[in-house]
Amino acid sequence: APQSRTVLSDAYEDHAHNRSLAKVFFRADQIPFPKESFDFIISEHVLEHFSNPVKALLEWHRVLNPGGVVLLFLPHKERTFDKDRERTTLLHLMSDYESNVPDQDRTHLEEWITRVIEPGLAPHYQGFSKDDQVNKGIIHHHVWITEDMIELLVHLNMKIEFSCDKVPDRPDSFVIVARKNNQT
C-alpha cells in the first residue's frame, strides 16, 4: 500500500519487550478517523487481545468505505499456546458486547495464567504481572478456530471473500478476508 495513504497504527509502543513498527498510536476500537475513511484494514494477531472484540470489529466496519475489506490474521486455537483453552462462542462474544465488557476485563485472566503462563507455553509473556497481562494487552481473552471467526463476521453482516485455515508462512495462524456491504 502507498505509505502516504496508509496508517500503520498500534495501541502500544511495545509488545513483550519488542518495539512496535507503528507510526501512530490508538486503540483499534477507538479509531480517530471519520466514518468511511479506509479501503482496507489489516489486522494481525490483534482481536484475541481484546476483552470486547465485537466492539473493535464494529469500529472497523464504521471506518471502512462501502465495499472495503478487513484482512484478519488470527492465531488458530489448536496450533498455538491456547490449545488447552476453550473456544470462544458467538454467544459469549455477543454477550460481552451487549454487556459492554471493559478493556481491562479480568474474566479470563486466571484461565490464561493457569493454562498458558504457568505451564510456560508463552515464554515471551513470562515475567509480566497479572495487572500488566491485562493492562498492556498481553492476555488472549478469546480463542478461535477459522469457523468461529467466520460465524462472527457473518453475524456482523460482513461478506466472507476468502478464508484459509492455515497461513503458509505462519502455520499458527488462519486468515479471513471479509467485505463490508455496499450499503452504508
Side-chain angles (χ1 to χ4, degrees):
Q3 286 190 339
S4 64
R5 297 189 339 239
T6 301
V7 177
L8 182 58
S9 69
D10 202 328
Y12 303 98
E13 291 187 23
D14 66 275
H15 302 276
H17 310 297
N18 296 313
R19 296 286 301 159
S20 172
L21 300 174
K23 305 291 186 224
V24 295
F25 296 89
F26 55 82
R27 290 182 52 86
D29 60 355
Q30 300 169 2
I31 300 174
F33 287 89
K35 176 180 163 182
E36 299 178 355
S37 294
F38 298 101
D39 293 326
F40 63 90
I41 293 173
I42 300 173
S43 169
E44 184 173 359
H45 290 243
V46 171
L47 283 180
E48 67 277 10
H49 296 279
F50 276 91
S51 56
N52 194 341
V54 172
K55 184 177 174 186
L57 286 167
L58 291 174
E59 178 69 351
W60 298 354
H61 192 274
R62 181 189 72 80
V63 299
L64 276 176
N65 288 320
V69 297
V70 175
L71 290 87
L72 287 174
F73 292 84
L74 292 161
H76 192 288
K77 175 223 179 300
E78 299 299 332
R79 298 190 301 267
T80 65
F81 49 70
D82 289 317
K83 66 183 185 309
D84 294 328
R85 300 179 67 206
E86 293 294 318
R87 286 168 45 192
T88 307
T89 65
L90 176 61
L91 182 64
H92 178 113
L93 294 168
M94 295 313 297
S95 175
D96 283 355
Y97 176 70
E98 290 161 8
S99 300
N100 198 24
V101 169
D103 296 338
Q104 281 77 35
D105 181 65
R106 298 172 81 89
T107 301
H108 304 288
L109 181 60
E110 290 308 317
E111 177 205 12
W112 165 259
I113 297 294
T114 302
R115 295 191 180 214
V116 176
I117 300 303
E118 288 176 354
L121 298 177
H124 52 296
Y125 293 144
Q126 297 289 339
F128 288 94
S129 70
K130 287 183 179 182
D131 285 341
D132 281 350
Q133 295 283 335
V134 173
N135 297 331
K136 292 187 175 192
I138 292 170
I139 180 177
H140 286 193
H141 290 274
H142 305 288
V143 296
W144 303 283
I145 64 171
T146 311
E147 292 81 4
D148 301 330
M149 187 52 58
I150 288 172
E151 179 184 33
L152 173 60
L153 292 166
V154 168
H155 182 79
L156 297 177
N157 204 24
M158 299 285 287
K159 180 181 179 202
I160 306 304
E161 295 288 345
F162 173 81
S163 71
C164 180
D165 189 59
K166 195 173 201 179
V167 178
D169 66 339
R170 182 130 189 216
D172 67 339
S173 303
F174 63 92
V175 64
I176 298 173
V177 178
R179 184 174 303 281
K180 179 178 179 176
N181 286 330
N182 287 326
Q183 298 88 15
T184 56

